[in-house]
């Protein structure tokens, strides 16, 4: 790898002004990987339509690019959380694909669904009333999550209120989908099947990423993978790893030879057990590299997995590059991607892959798709 100073990195970006671009860490989205993962779900749920959940800007990876790539590959149904997100996706996709808004209509936006042909998910009796059958909608039935949806005691009332309305979909959401063995899954499945009999004409949808992997009983007419499209899941023996949709890299700014007994970083939490070579890298918690990865995370460089030494600081981390010839100033170190798996990183950070992606996305610079 050619040597380059941090200054020259800044130089290359002198035309860019927004905050993420002023940083040296960068996030690259691989749209081909997102499509590959979507096809994996098609394979796993051959009897169902496979939608794409693109809420929160496609989990931080950019809903415009992801939606376009998925639509091009044949995705016809998309889910966003908010009305505003759905507008963005409609603009990106043009007419055709169906776009559901999971949060459902509000007083402010209910009138505005028609023109861009967006479809709300109705989550309460109040939303059913507000929507007032002004167009096709989906219905969310709560089967145990107690977050959104019509509860069991309101079902009969909802069925009456929706009589004659165009119901495109009845759906529910699993609380424990990522745990195949959880008894909660079967409980929710049973409740969903029972409740859905009240709406016999509507398509049925229950499974998010985890639900698809639980098995065909959970697939119904439409499945709703989100995080799986972006590379989480499938790390057990039965499932191949999904493709990494995001790569986060940052350049080395300095390499040091350190004597035995020296300590590294804030709090001096790591002491060199012997002579070591360390590299200081331009990524920190200000870039979304979580501080909880202090002493736990690792990078990938030249086929090695250099561990983090001591604490993650705001703009910098220190890694152990002893014996790694590739460790030179300017060399890019991977911190998430094909070699540093999303689920692995989440486990090390003590959080969920969802939070890893969305935390990076707000801070590190996004670069164009790598096909
Ligand atoms: C976020 C969400 C999904 C997607 O879940 P993943 O675990 O990311 O696959 C599906 N359905 C609903 C209602 C959701 O809120």
């Amino acid at each position: 790898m050619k040597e380059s100073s941090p200054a020259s990195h800044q130089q290359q970006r002198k035309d860019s002004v927004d905050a993420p671009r002023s940083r040296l860490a960068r996030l690259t989205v691989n749209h081909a990987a997102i499509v590959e993962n979507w096809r994996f779900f098609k394979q796993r749920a051959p009897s169902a339509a496979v939608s794409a959940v693109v809420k929160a800007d496609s989990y931080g990876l950019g809903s415009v690019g992801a939606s376009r790539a998925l639509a091009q590959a044949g995705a016809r149904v998309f889910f966003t959380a908010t009305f505003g997100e759905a507008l963005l996706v409609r603009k990106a996709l043009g007419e055709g694909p169906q776009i559901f808004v999971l949060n459902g209509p509000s007083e402010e936006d209910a009138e505005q669904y028609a023109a861009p042909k967006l479809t709300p998910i109705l989550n309460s009796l109040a939303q059913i009333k507000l929507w007032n059958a002004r167009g096709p909608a989906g219905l969310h039935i709560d089967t145990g999550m107690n977050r959104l949806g019509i509860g069991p005691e309101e079902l009969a009332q909802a069925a009456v209120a929706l009589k004659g309305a165009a119901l495109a979909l009845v759906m529910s959401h699993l609380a424990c989908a990522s745990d195949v063995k959880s008894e909660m899954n079967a409980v929710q499945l049973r409740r969903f099947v029972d409740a859905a009999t009240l709406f016999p004409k509507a398509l049925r949808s229950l499974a998010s990423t985890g639900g698809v992997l639980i098995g065909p009983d959970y697939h119904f007419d439409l499945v709703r993978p989100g995080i799986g499209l972006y590379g989480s899941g499938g790390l057990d023996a039965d499932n191949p790893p999904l493709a990494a949709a995001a790569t986060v890299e940052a350049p080395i700014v300095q390499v040091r030879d350190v004597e035995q007994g020296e300590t590294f970083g804030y709090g001096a939490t790591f002491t060199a057990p012997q002579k070591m070579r360390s590299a200081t890298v331009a990524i920190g918690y200000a870039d979304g590299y979580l501080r909880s990865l202090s002493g736990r995370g690792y990078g990938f460089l030249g086929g090695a997995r250099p561990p983090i030494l001591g604490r993650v600081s705001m703009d910098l981390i220190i890694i152990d590059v002893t014996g790694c010839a590739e460790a030179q100033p300017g060399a890019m170190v991977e911190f998430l991607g094909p070699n540093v798996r999303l689920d692995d990183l989440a486990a090390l950070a003590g959080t969920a892959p969802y939070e890893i992606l969305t935390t990076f996305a707000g801070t590190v610079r996004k670069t164009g798709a790598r096909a």
Side-chain angles (χ1 to χ4, degrees):
M1 187 143 329
K2 238 185 88 217
E3 239 185 59
S4 68
S5 70
S8 78
H9 276 276
Q10 299 280 24
Q11 200 76 35
Q12 287 159 17
R13 296 169 191 180
K14 64 177 186 286
D15 54 333
S16 38
V17 288
D18 59 288
R21 278 168 198 271
S22 67
R23 306 287 295 179
L24 299 180
R26 65 172 187 229
L27 182 150
T28 310
V29 178
N30 184 342
H31 292 126
I34 296 175
V35 166
E36 183 185 329
N37 293 334
W38 182 75
R39 293 201 171 113
F40 166 80
F41 287 99
K42 273 178 74 79
Q43 225 172 22
R44 289 301 295 251
S47 62
V50 179
S51 70
V53 178
V54 294
K55 65 193 181 192
D57 204 21
S58 278
Y59 297 42
L61 302 188
S63 63
V64 167
S67 302
R68 278 195 186 133
L70 288 163
Q72 219 160 40
R76 279 285 155 270
V77 183
F78 294 81
F79 286 87
T80 66
T82 70
F83 177 80
E85 289 174 356
L87 274 184
L88 203 74
V89 174
R90 174 61 78 214
K91 225 182 216 167
L93 297 185
E95 285 205 21
Q98 185 163 34
I99 305 172
F100 286 104
V101 178
L102 286 166
N103 286 2
S106 69
E107 299 273 3
E108 289 73 44
D109 59 35
E111 296 284 354
Q112 298 167 48
Y113 274 73
K117 293 200 172 71
L118 304 178
T119 314
I121 299 291
L122 307 176
N123 293 290
S124 64
L125 292 174
Q127 279 190 338
I128 292 173
K129 193 163 168 230
L130 170 68
W131 184 246
N132 196 21
R134 67 184 93 209
L139 179 70
H140 190 156
I141 297 168
D142 178 52
T143 54
M145 182 93 168
N146 278 301
R147 188 177 67 169
L148 290 174
I150 300 286
E153 71 291 345
E154 304 166 323
L155 265 176
Q157 233 179 310
V160 171
L162 286 165
K163 227 171 187 93
L167 211 51
L169 184 75
V170 283
M171 57 161 280
S172 190
H173 193 42
L174 297 170
C176 305
S178 60
D179 178 7
V180 178
K181 294 190 191 77
S182 170
E183 288 170 21
M184 189 74 178
N185 296 321
V187 170
Q188 287 192 264
L189 175 65
R190 196 162 1 92
R191 288 179 184 162
F192 179 63
V193 169
D194 286 350
T197 57
L198 286 171
F199 311 95
K201 286 197 199 126
L203 296 179
R204 294 182 295 173
S205 176
L206 179 62
S208 54
T209 295
V212 177
L213 301 178
I214 298 173
D217 288 357
Y218 289 77
H219 295 171
F220 296 97
D221 301 304
L222 178 80
V223 296
R224 310 187 307 269
I227 194 72
L229 303 178
Y230 310 111
S232 166
L235 283 184
D236 56 24
D238 299 338
N239 299 295
L242 288 159
T247 300
V248 173
E249 300 162 294
I252 292 176
V253 292
Q254 198 175 93
V255 176
R256 311 169 74 87
D257 289 303
V258 175
E259 297 299 322
Q260 181 198 353
E262 288 290 313
T263 61
F264 293 93
Y266 285 122
T269 57
F270 184 88
T271 306
Q274 70 266 315
K275 226 169 138 69
M276 295 175 81
R277 172 163 274 215
S278 70
T280 305
V281 187
I283 188 170
Y285 54 79
D287 300 293
Y289 195 81
L290 296 170
R291 195 165 174 277
S292 57
L293 289 160
S294 296
R296 295 168 158 267
Y298 60 90
F300 181 83
L301 176 65
R305 292 194 155 65
I308 289 176
L309 302 175
R311 287 201 186 140
V312 173
S313 48
M314 187 181 288
D315 311 305
L316 299 165
I317 60 172
I318 308 164
I319 57 175
D320 176 7
V321 293
T322 309
C324 176
E326 286 83 356
Q328 300 294 333
M332 294 301 279
V333 184
E334 177 185 326
F335 291 97
L336 171 71
N339 304 292
V340 182
R341 306 284 317 172
L342 175 56
D343 290 311
D344 197 19
L345 194 62
L348 290 171
T351 184
Y354 307 78
E355 191 178 36
I356 295 282
L357 288 185
T358 52
T359 305
F360 270 134
T363 42
V364 300
R365 173 181 122 104
K366 275 180 214 138
T367 61
R370 296 195 311 191

